[in-house]
Amino acid sequence: MLLIPGLKVDIFDNKISTHGHQTMLCINGRPANEDEIKTLNPQDIKRIDYYDSFNPKHPTANSVIDFIMARHDRGASVYLNAGQHVNRFSGDDLADVKFYHKKSEFNIQLSGYYNHYNPENGEESTTCMDFGGTDVAKIVEPKSLPIHENGLNGKFSYLRYGNNDILHAATYLGGGHSARTDDYSLKFSTDVNDYQTKDRNHSDNIQPAAQIYYEKHLANKHFFKMNLYGSYNETDNQRFYTSNVDYNAKTAERYYYLNPNFGYYMPIKDRNIAFLSVDYFLHKINQTYTENLLQNKSELNYTHGILQLGDNYQIVPQKVSFTLQLSDRIMTINKQTKHYFSPQLFYKAKIFR
């Protein structure tokens, strides 16, 4: 895949893009995430299909990489992966087990990471500032910067391939902990004192999530897809700062996310497909910030609905195509609603010598 023109694989962020746009990853036509791709058995891969302009199953995607896999009706597979940094106590582990029974697949996955080290002292930094014609230099000299991070994630999923449909259901649970202490001295050119400063940050996070995907193929090659994803993120952060001014702060954030979507697709001959898609996004954030016993609360409710009608047509197979798309968007932020209607026309053309 690395030799495909325009395709870029970022191994550090686990992202794949084509000509600057995100590439959709699929397994047997079903959208999949990076962890699912990572645990595929190479011996089960029949072929890898790549679409950079037209995929009848995903007409709104900029590009698609589809892993066509052999299906098993019995047995099991195990995938293990562990990585350890040579110079510090840092690494990640992954264990994935799949069980096969007739047309069904059960998957259990556990992954975790750890990162504990004290990096070398950073370089001394000097910042020059002008206060009413007086030059003031701030000098920061790091002494100790220990970092401690741990995380654990789990997933259980069920996948069934029917004669004309696909059902995938998954539950997720992840959690993480991080702690960091920045110990440094702080000096000002206008002050003879040397302030010994400690800045301690402590954070805990937990995120359960669930997803249900269903795809059904109808007569005349028509098909529809439904997907429902929801998650909850709970983060508690504490900060203790000690210097010439001391303060304790705590931030508690609760984030709710819900995304149902539905798509209906109507192929017209071999090079033309009309589609209808409906997406809804719900974001709700409750945050409580406490500093030196003084508490402040804030809340953000954001919803976003998108209705799209479109047609994707190949003028010249694999060379020239266009997509006509009509989008109607409704956004609500804390009870303030805005409406947008946006017709769009996309086209792609390949020129070969």
Side-chain angles (χ1 to χ4, degrees):
M1 292 191 296
L2 294 174
L3 300 178
I4 298 177
L7 183 67
K8 179 181 178 181
V9 180
D10 189 334
I11 61 175
F12 296 102
D13 294 332
N14 291 325
K15 293 182 179 180
I16 300 177
S17 60
T18 302
H19 301 297
H21 299 283
Q22 184 175 357
T23 298
M24 176 182 287
L25 301 177
C26 296
I27 300 176
N28 291 335
R30 173 183 62 85
N33 57 36
E34 290 81 1
D35 286 341
E36 291 184 86
I37 302 299
K38 186 186 301 184
T39 58
L40 294 179
N41 186 346
Q43 296 180 351
D44 290 338
I45 299 177
K46 292 183 176 180
R47 68 179 190 274
I48 300 176
D49 293 338
Y50 175 66
Y51 306 87
D52 66 345
S53 60
F54 182 86
N55 183 347
K57 293 197 67 175
H58 308 284
T60 59
N62 290 291
S63 55
V64 177
I65 294 178
D66 193 2
F67 293 82
I68 307 302
M69 307 294 297
R71 300 176 188 174
H72 300 279
D73 56 6
R74 62 182 182 277
S77 65
V78 178
Y79 174 86
L80 300 175
N81 191 335
Q84 170 63 47
H85 198 283
V86 176
N87 298 324
R88 64 178 187 234
F89 188 61
S90 176
D92 56 83
D93 305 285
L94 173 66
D96 184 272
V97 182
K98 294 182 176 69
F99 300 95
Y100 308 100
H101 178 68
K102 296 182 179 180
K103 297 181 179 181
S104 298
E105 174 188 304
F106 300 88
N107 178 219
I108 300 174
Q109 185 179 106
L110 290 175
S111 62
Y113 64 90
Y114 50 92
N115 195 14
H116 302 271
Y117 71 103
N118 192 348
E120 295 181 2
N121 293 344
E123 295 182 359
E124 181 181 296
S125 64
T126 302
T127 303
C128 296
M129 300 170 286
D130 182 7
F131 288 95
T134 302
D135 293 332
V136 179
K138 182 179 73 172
I139 303 172
V140 178
E141 182 181 351
K143 297 183 179 299
S144 178
L145 308 169
I147 296 175
H148 301 281
E149 295 177 330
N150 295 291
L152 184 64
N153 300 284
K155 181 188 80 170
F156 175 76
S157 67
Y158 170 74
L159 174 64
R160 180 182 62 82
Y161 287 99
N163 294 329
N164 297 303
D165 63 350
I166 300 174
L167 173 64
H168 181 247
T171 57
Y172 309 85
L173 180 61
H177 164 81
S178 66
R180 174 169 179 161
T181 300
D182 293 345
D183 187 2
Y184 53 92
S185 65
L186 185 64
K187 301 177 183 178
F188 296 92
S189 59
T190 55
D191 192 340
V192 297
N193 296 316
D194 183 0
Y195 298 99
Q196 299 302 311
T197 303
K198 284 190 176 182
D199 191 358
R200 293 179 291 166
N201 281 275
H202 180 283
S203 182
D204 291 291
N205 171 269
I206 185 171
Q207 181 177 358
Q211 180 182 25
I212 298 178
Y213 173 86
Y214 181 71
E215 178 181 318
K216 177 70 174 180
H217 290 256
L218 308 173
N220 299 320
K221 296 184 178 180
H222 289 209
F223 65 96
F224 67 86
K225 299 183 292 185
M226 296 185 298
N227 185 66
L228 175 62
Y229 178 83
S231 66
Y232 168 75
N233 192 307
E234 180 176 312
T235 302
D236 292 306
N237 178 267
Q238 289 184 310
R239 184 182 182 187
F240 305 93
Y241 181 85
T242 303
S243 186
N244 57 330
V245 177
D246 300 341
Y247 67 85
N248 297 333
K250 180 179 179 181
T251 303
E253 182 178 279
R254 308 294 180 259
Y255 174 48
Y256 307 83
Y257 176 75
L258 183 66
N259 174 216
N261 63 69
F262 172 83
Y264 191 89
Y265 306 88
M266 299 162 283
I268 304 172
K269 298 183 178 180
D270 295 330
R271 295 186 292 170
N272 190 13
I273 179 169
F275 59 87
L276 164 68
S277 67
V278 181
D279 277 275
Y280 178 77
F281 303 88
L282 168 65
H283 307 264
K284 182 176 181 180
I285 303 174
N286 295 325
Q287 189 177 86
T288 301
Y289 178 74
T290 305
E291 183 177 324
N292 295 338
L293 302 180
L294 182 62
Q295 188 177 93
N296 292 290
K297 293 185 177 181
S298 63
E299 181 175 311
L300 173 64
N301 293 308
Y302 169 57
T303 62
H304 188 190
I306 306 175
L307 172 64
Q308 291 182 332
L309 291 171
D311 184 81
N312 192 337
Y313 181 71
Q314 286 193 100
I315 301 174
V316 180
Q318 305 302 322
K319 291 185 179 181
V320 181
S321 66
F322 73 84
T323 300
L324 176 63
Q325 183 172 290
L326 304 177
S327 299
D328 194 24
R329 300 169 182 261
I330 300 177
M331 294 188 298
T332 300
I333 301 177
N334 286 346
K335 298 182 180 180
Q336 295 184 359
T337 302
K338 294 185 177 181
H339 179 272
Y340 301 92
F341 175 72
S342 56
Q344 297 172 308
L345 177 64
F346 309 95
Y347 72 91
K348 292 183 180 181
K350 296 180 182 179
I351 301 177
F352 299 94
R353 296 182 60 183

